[in-house]
Amino acid sequence: MTKGLEFGLGLGILLLAGVLMAEETPPHWIAAEEKLPEGLANRYYRHTFDISQLPTSARLVAAGDGAGIDLFLDGELLFEIEPYDPLFKADLTQRLTRGKHVFAIRSRSYDSGAMFFLRVQLKFADGTTQIVSTGNDWLCSSENPPRWNELDYEVAAWKKTFARATVDDRLLIPDSRRTDIAATDNYEQWQQARGAKAGTDPATFDIAPGFEIDLVRSAQEGEDSWISLVFDPRGRAIVSQEQAGLLRMTLSKDGGSVEKTERINDDLKEVRGMTFLGRDLYVNANNAKGMYVLRGDEQGNLTKPELLFTTDGGVGHGRNDLTVGPDNKIYSIHGDSVHYLAGATNFTSPLRKTEKLPPQSDGHLLRYDPATKKIDTLVAGLRNPYGIAFNQDGEAFTYDADAEHDMGSPWYRPTRVNHLTIGSDFGWRAVTGKWPPYYPDHPDIAPFNLDIGKGSPTAVLFGTKSKFPPRYKETLFILDWTYGRILAVQCMPRGASYLCEAETFLKGRPLNVVDLDFAPDGSMFLTTGGRKTQSALYRIRYVGEAMALKSPETPTAHMQQAKKARQQRQHLESLLTEKRLSVVELALVWQQLGNLDPSVRNAARTLLEQQPLETWQGSALKEEKRLTALVALSGLTRTHDSALVPQILTRLNEIDLTDATRTERLLAAWIYHRCVVANDALEPLLAAAVRRRLGRLYPDHDYAVNEQLTFAFAHVGAEDFVEKTMQLLTAAKTQNQQLHFLFILRNTSTGWTPATRDAYFNALAQTRTYVGGEGLPKFLQLIREEALASVTDETERAQFAALLADDPGAKMAEPLPPRTFVRKWTAEEALAAVKSVRDQPNLTRGLELFTAASCSRCHRVGKHGTLVGPDLTAVSSRFGQRDLLESIIEPSKVIAENYRSLQVLTTDGKTHVGRPALGGDYRSQVLRLNTDPLQPFAVTEIDKREIEAEQTSPVSFMPVGLLDTLSAEEIRDLLTFLESGDQDLK
């Protein structure tokens, strides 16, 4: 049997196993009762469930609408989700064991329509699934009895919940359409289109069910690479060339081919955006640094370009897309290479000016009025948004870029879908090459709608004009040039903005998608191109069954509530740039500062900051309502007026944060951060009061709050700062969080003990395995240099420098001393033998065996080992001894999805099996695969362009027989060490 055939059969077996799915009862939005009292009302919910086997994955999605929820699992607080947070997602695989569990929720309801939902999908090794979701079988109480969130609590007096509506399935994306980026996905796939003679065969693409894609035309010699696309009023496709000029293509009657191609312009340089307003074509010519109009006549002919205005700055992240707004004005979106236009009316907060921003700082949105020639700056704080589109409600959206240089660091901001509310600042500031000025993100910036992750955004467009199923009318199609895909972002009204989720609509290789538009017949057309690559024009049509055309049902009351909230926000936006509000208007603004909806709150604060400071400073320092007070104080803080700092801190110290929401705690932490870092000359009594207050607030149970608090607490020089932060570092499970705590402690000079110093530098040494972008090695080197410089003892400094310079790969290349075979253990026999051991366990020997049995080569317990496989520091919270022994002795029985090995078939017929290796750059065109579990730093490199097929392997990367050289006493000692989490060793 050939390797390729073996590979195919393995894939078939996995697909067959995936068919064995459980029937799902759709999750429901739930509330305590049909009608809740107005105002804040706490309710308590419980739902018990059983798991018969260890899951290979457990994915949670949840959201609130007018209700915030604190989610507990078996009595432990997991997450705090606020009413208008983006769709919340989490991986609970490491938290859910076999046996009985309880989800308990404390809900804060803020209006009569408040509701929330939760859904967890569990997958098991035998191919089955189990769904745990909100519905009528959950129990509810208005009381807050002791231990209500624990598993063994009696709920006899509790009543069933009220299910308000079925959760829209657009929020429940099937695994086959998820947008995750795999290790084998090629960030440089676009380069495969260089030198090609035609567009990629669409038969190789993966497209959503019910849709069909055709290649309409490939760019010919002399036609350059294509960028922008728009249909003119006569149904002809206008395509811009990368270097200069425009082409016009007349389609056949069936739209499947191009009958005629004309060159209609030769001198417009790199047109990135085009839109028709009536007969006139407006264009953004990036390399000409200007917006132009080409006037049209009744026959569809266009005049020579007429310059409307120019903008200074660079052309990399430059003048991007254009669109016509619902007001018949032209909206132009710019990247962070473009300078702000002098003389434009600025709708954003004037307090941005106090930040001393560099000229090339952030992307922004302009609005041009063809009738009056007036230009407005509407939105700021973007990275490099390429596209802009309006939905049926007249609301603008974009897909903003990341800074791939920062990947892997805590200041990396993923690509995001943003609702471009007028006056908003999304917080991006220019890349500095060191620690960016937007780190950590301000809690006062405009909220984002959806994190997408890695990618390279190009055009966006709503499906309003499509002849796709009705659900796609409200879908925002976003293009990812880097990974060759179109994502369908479902945008559902919620509050003054939208609850969003994304699914993969189209994916290919290479498929460097640049722009899209809908033809008059409702079919989607898209162009590929850019960076001198081969271009093509494609068409996408819906050819599925009519039954799939059913629109999702949304409760009328929910839609009315969302419309009312948008109108509140829009009224505030209509007052922006008013120099002085009336007393009535100012009172309205003040009321909305405490609005739970962040979009309304953000609009109110922006408007307030445009008013003279003397009209609101006194109110900000006297306000009693907590959220209103904190938002107002954040505005005062943004003035950067050092004379106000003592008053701000004094008032902040008085605000009770006992039961504060995450937003309130985050605002308070940020105000402390900005005030204490900016003012080293605080009066001693005030400084001491701030230090005591921060000591009570830190640490918080939420990482984002801790992120802000660490900056403030580190600055005031608290003695217990190091100890508290090291505890957070040890508990941190993600690279970003670990690196933040390492960063914040790097030059702390006081509060260290020999144990915490040792633990810090051991953790810092682990960063050699971090994966990131081009900037990460430099970031890590700077942290190491500053951390070593903070060690005053020369002997200690030399010891830690040697530790940081140590090569773990070289150590692991050395063979372990041979051990004598004891017996072939089974899980049952090992468990019985361990229970029969009577002498006291030896933790020190357990640690030695952790290395001798090769466990430390892939796993970490406390400060010992390497993070190739799962972190075992808290393994006892998930596994009992039986499960732990089974996972060691039979590692292939249950393999968590995120730790499965890859089986890769290359074009030369070779099959490689292993785990994606640690280290390296996210953008590398090379897949680094570790094929030897005992040598995790030895890798096989595979060019991603040569990968023909891939699948996850059903065989664990963890070798078998690891306990066969251990006696019962030694197995007992190893288990005891693993269960200790390294906490009992000195």
Side-chain angles (χ1 to χ4, degrees):
M1 183 181 287
T2 66
K3 290 181 179 177
L5 183 56
E6 290 174 350
F7 186 98
L9 287 175
L11 181 59
I13 291 169
L14 289 178
L15 290 175
L16 180 60
V19 172
L20 303 174
M21 299 294 179
E23 289 292 327
E24 177 184 357
T25 300
H28 285 73
W29 294 92
I30 63 173
E33 50 193 298
E34 190 165 0
K35 287 189 177 180
L36 292 177
E38 294 291 337
L40 178 65
N42 283 1
R43 293 293 185 273
Y44 304 87
Y45 302 81
R46 287 174 55 90
H47 179 71
T48 57
F49 58 99
D50 283 297
I51 301 177
S52 61
Q53 52 185 312
L54 284 174
T56 57
S57 75
R59 298 182 181 276
L60 164 76
V61 292
D65 189 343
I69 62 175
D70 298 333
L71 174 62
F72 297 83
L73 174 64
D74 302 335
E76 177 189 357
L77 177 63
L78 293 185
F79 309 110
E80 183 179 352
I81 305 172
E82 296 206 335
Y84 300 100
D85 278 352
L87 186 67
F88 184 83
K89 302 176 186 178
D91 184 353
L92 300 184
T93 311
Q94 299 301 317
R95 294 180 179 267
L96 288 172
T97 62
R98 71 177 93 210
K100 200 169 191 177
H101 298 278
V102 61
F103 277 132
I105 288 176
R106 176 173 54 231
S107 170
R108 301 184 186 198
S109 302
Y110 292 86
D111 57 56
S112 58
M115 55 188 184
F116 65 88
F117 88 89
L118 170 150
R119 176 181 184 263
V120 179
Q121 175 180 280
L122 300 104
K123 290 185 178 180
F124 304 105
D126 62 3
T128 60
T129 63
Q130 178 181 348
I131 306 296
V132 180
S133 59
T134 46
N136 285 325
D137 54 346
W138 283 54
L139 297 176
C140 174
S141 173
S142 58
E143 303 298 326
N144 181 19
R147 301 178 60 247
W148 67 274
N149 55 8
E150 296 180 12
L151 183 59
D152 57 356
Y153 176 73
E154 295 294 334
V155 293
W158 290 40
K159 61 183 179 181
K160 289 189 176 182
T161 58
F162 175 77
R164 288 188 173 275
T166 302
V167 174
D168 194 320
D169 65 2
R170 291 178 294 174
L171 294 172
L172 310 174
I173 303 302
D175 289 351
S176 60
R177 310 310 305 176
R178 278 171 42 198
T179 61
D180 301 5
I181 296 297
T184 52
D185 285 324
N186 190 359
Y187 191 88
E188 303 291 337
Q189 63 87 31
W190 61 271
Q191 294 199 24
Q192 294 176 244
R194 278 186 169 171
K197 301 302 181 184
T200 309
D201 181 359
T204 65
F205 298 162
D206 175 21
I207 194 166
F211 289 89
E212 180 178 87
I213 182 167
D214 305 306
L215 174 59
V216 177
R217 186 180 187 275
S218 296
Q220 305 300 305
E221 188 174 348
E223 289 182 346
D224 199 4
S225 194
W226 300 343
I227 305 179
S228 191
L229 166 70
V230 70
F231 280 91
D232 71 10
R234 300 169 71 90
R236 297 172 297 187
I238 311 293
V239 174
S240 71
Q241 298 182 130
E242 185 173 25
Q243 298 303 310
L246 305 176
L247 302 175
R248 182 165 62 197
M249 302 178 189
T250 303
L251 301 176
S252 60
K253 283 187 177 181
D254 66 359
S257 62
V258 173
E259 293 184 339
K260 179 182 179 182
T261 300
E262 310 165 77
R263 191 176 300 277
I264 59 173
N265 177 272
D266 290 314
D267 54 8
L268 285 168
K269 297 179 180 179
E270 196 200 10
V271 171
R272 290 189 179 179
M274 299 189 293
T275 190
F276 274 94
L277 178 58
R279 301 169 181 168
D280 300 337
L281 177 63
Y282 289 80
V283 304
N284 255 349
N286 181 49
N287 275 329
K289 299 186 176 181
M291 182 194 288
Y292 295 78
V293 62
L294 290 74
R295 307 290 180 185
D297 60 21
E298 291 184 1
Q299 288 72 44
N301 300 311
L302 298 171
T303 63
K304 290 185 177 181
E306 170 191 335
L307 178 65
L308 299 176
F309 64 90
T310 60
T311 47
D312 294 333
V315 295
H317 294 176
R319 297 137 202 88
N320 296 325
D321 206 3
L322 297 175
T323 194
V324 177
D327 52 6
N328 279 332
K329 297 177 182 179
I330 307 299
Y331 289 73
S332 175
I333 200 157
H334 294 172
D336 62 0
S337 295
V338 183
H339 296 183
Y340 280 80
L341 187 64
T345 302
N346 197 324
F347 281 67
T348 65
S349 172
L351 297 187
R352 282 173 49 83
K353 296 178 182 178
T354 64
E355 296 183 33
K356 300 178 182 178
L357 303 175
Q360 291 175 259
S361 172
D362 52 329
H364 51 280
L365 175 65
L366 297 182
R367 178 173 64 191
Y368 172 77
D369 188 340
T372 64
K373 316 301 182 188
K374 185 174 182 295
I375 303 175
D376 302 314
T377 302
L378 301 180
V379 175
L382 298 164
R383 163 65 165 157
N384 183 30
Y386 193 97
I388 177 174
F390 285 88
N391 68 4
Q392 295 180 96
D393 297 325
E395 302 284 341
F397 284 77
T398 193
Y399 176 31
D400 198 11
D402 59 355
E404 60 271 21
H405 180 270
D406 294 344
M407 285 178 180
S409 72
W411 43 88
Y412 170 67
R413 295 178 60 169
T415 65
R416 286 175 170 173
V417 173
N418 290 325
H419 177 194
L420 298 175
T421 52
I422 295 175
S424 288
D425 176 1
F426 287 90
W428 171 261
R429 302 295 183 259
V431 175
T432 63
K434 195 178 180 183
W435 324 124
Y438 52 81
Y439 170 61
D441 262 347
H442 307 183
D444 56 333
I445 62 176
F448 68 91
N449 291 73
L450 184 66
D451 272 351
I452 297 296
K454 293 175 285 184
S456 182
T458 46
V460 304
L461 189 64
F462 276 95
T464 311
K465 296 181 180 179
S466 72
K467 280 198 177 175
F468 292 174
R471 66 183 293 156
Y472 289 101
K473 296 286 185 180
E474 299 172 357
T475 296
L476 177 66
F477 293 95
I478 64 174
L479 274 56
D480 177 0
W481 186 81
T482 284
Y483 288 109
R485 56 186 185 159
I486 298 178
L487 305 182
V489 179
Q490 312 296 343
C491 302
M492 286 143 277
R494 184 189 58 167
S497 188
Y498 297 80
L499 181 63
C500 298
E501 175 61 311
E503 62 182 288
T504 302
F505 179 74
L506 173 68
K507 188 172 184 180
R509 189 178 67 181
L511 185 64
N512 41 325
V513 285
V514 189
D515 205 356
L516 77 166
D517 198 10
F518 287 98
D521 68 356
S523 56
M524 177 191 286
F525 280 74
L526 60 102
T527 50
T528 61
R531 296 194 185 179
K532 300 182 180 180
T533 56
Q534 171 64 45
S535 289
L537 180 69
Y538 293 92
R539 176 183 64 169
I540 297 176
R541 296 173 296 162
Y542 182 72
V543 295
E545 297 179 8
M547 62 179 294
L549 297 176
K550 183 181 178 182
S551 254
E553 297 177 3
T554 306
T556 303
H558 172 88
M559 296 298 291
Q560 291 174 343
Q561 196 170 30
K563 183 177 180 181
K564 180 181 177 181
R566 287 199 304 275
Q567 290 171 341
Q568 283 181 317
R569 190 203 78 233
Q570 290 164 353
H571 176 66
L572 293 169
E573 292 170 352
S574 72
L575 299 174
L576 289 169
T577 73
E578 291 283 341
K579 299 301 180 184
R580 186 180 286 270
L581 297 176
S582 69
V583 174
V584 173
E585 289 169 334
L586 190 58
L588 171 66
V589 172
W590 199 262
Q591 180 186 15
Q592 298 302 339
L593 287 182
N595 196 304
L596 194 68
D597 189 323
S599 294
V600 177
R601 190 170 65 239
N602 179 66
R605 197 209 72 252
T606 302
L607 180 53
L608 182 71
E609 291 177 354
Q610 292 185 347
Q611 304 308 302
L613 183 60
E614 65 271 14
T615 65
W616 58 276
Q617 174 182 328
S619 298
L621 293 169
K622 296 175 183 176
E623 176 60 50
E624 293 295 326
K625 293 181 180 177
R626 184 165 57 202
L627 180 56
T628 305
L630 289 167
V631 174
L633 289 175
S634 75
L636 285 186
T637 304
R638 284 162 54 86
T639 66
H640 294 267
D641 185 346
S642 59
L644 289 175
V645 168
Q647 299 175 68
I648 294 170
L649 288 175
T650 299
R651 177 68 191 108
L652 187 56
N653 282 344
E654 297 169 349
I655 296 176
D656 184 6
L657 297 173
T658 304
D659 62 343
T661 65
R662 186 190 69 239
T663 288
E664 291 168 336
R665 303 194 313 275
L666 193 58
L667 280 166
W670 179 78
I671 295 168
Y672 277 121
H673 165 196
R674 286 307 174 97
C675 286
V676 302
V677 170
N679 196 322
D680 286 321
L682 290 179
E683 189 272 327
L685 288 177
L686 178 58
V690 168
R691 189 178 300 110
R692 288 193 299 271
R693 182 67 183 282
L694 289 171
R696 292 193 297 269
L697 297 177
Y698 182 72
D700 193 88
H701 60 259
D702 183 87
Y703 168 73
V705 178
N706 281 329
E707 196 176 42
Q708 293 287 347
L709 285 172
T710 52
F711 283 90
F713 205 31
H715 197 78
V716 298
E719 285 297 320
D720 59 347
F721 174 69
V722 169
E723 181 182 352
K724 288 182 174 182
T725 307
M726 282 303 302
Q727 290 173 359
L728 293 174
L729 171 60
T730 301
K733 294 296 188 292
T734 69
Q735 173 178 313
N736 288 3
Q737 292 182 11
Q738 291 168 359
L739 188 53
H740 167 74
F741 295 122
L742 290 168
F743 167 79
I744 207 71
L745 286 169
R746 72 195 187 283
N747 48 25
T748 301
S749 57
T750 61
W752 293 98
T753 65
T756 54
R757 275 283 193 205
D758 184 57
Y760 175 84
F761 279 99
N762 270 283
L764 189 56
Q766 291 275 358
T767 62
R768 61 173 65 88
T769 63
Y770 281 5
V771 182
E774 284 184 353
L776 189 61
K778 180 181 178 182
F779 300 148
L780 292 173
Q781 183 59 33
L782 288 169
I783 292 173
R784 292 176 189 128
E785 290 173 358
E786 293 187 30
L788 286 170
S790 71
V791 180
T792 55
D793 185 277
E794 292 186 10
T795 302
E796 277 191 328
R797 190 186 312 126
Q799 172 192 339
F800 293 135
L803 174 65
L804 295 179
D806 198 12
D807 180 7
K811 276 188 175 181
M812 291 188 185
E814 301 173 3
L816 290 169
R819 291 180 56 84
T820 303
F821 177 81
V822 175
R823 62 174 294 179
K824 187 71 177 176
W825 290 103
T826 67
E828 291 77 10
E829 291 168 345
L831 181 62
V834 165
K835 289 184 175 180
S836 69
V837 177
R838 295 292 174 239
D839 61 336
Q840 290 298 311
N842 186 326
L843 275 176
T844 302
R845 186 167 65 172
L847 170 58
E848 293 169 355
L849 291 165
F850 181 64
T851 299
S854 302
C855 306
S856 63
R857 297 199 169 202
C858 290
H859 301 282
R860 184 182 73 177
V861 175
K863 65 181 181 180
H864 302 284
T866 305
L867 273 178
V868 176
D871 187 340
L872 301 182
T873 303
V875 70
S876 62
S877 65
R878 180 175 187 233
F879 289 97
Q881 285 193 339
R882 178 187 179 85
D883 288 333
L884 189 52
L885 285 168
E886 189 175 274
S887 68
I888 299 172
I889 295 171
E890 302 177 68
S892 296
K893 187 172 182 178
V894 178
I895 312 172
E897 283 188 356
N898 52 336
Y899 288 107
R900 285 180 176 167
S901 297
L902 277 176
Q903 191 173 352
V904 177
L905 178 67
T906 52
T907 52
D908 59 3
K910 294 180 180 178
T911 299
H912 305 269
V913 180
R915 287 268 302 140
L918 298 172
D921 192 319
Y922 276 125
R923 297 174 295 171
S924 175
Q925 196 162 277
V926 173
L927 172 65
R928 302 173 70 248
L929 207 62
N930 172 236
T931 55
D932 183 352
L934 298 181
Q935 299 293 332
F937 291 91
V939 299
T940 298
E941 295 190 342
I942 303 168
D943 192 322
K944 292 178 182 178
R945 294 171 297 183
E946 297 175 0
I947 296 176
E948 188 170 287
E950 62 182 278
Q951 67 180 37
T952 55
S953 172
V955 179
S956 174
F957 189 64
M958 183 173 169
V960 296
L962 293 179
L963 300 186
D964 292 352
T965 61
L966 273 60
S967 66
E969 291 80 3
E970 289 173 323
I971 294 175
R972 188 275 318 273
D973 290 343
L974 175 60
L975 289 179
T976 303
F977 168 70
L978 295 176
E979 291 169 336
S980 75
D982 195 28
Q983 296 302 305
D984 299 319
L985 283 173
K986 303 300 181 184

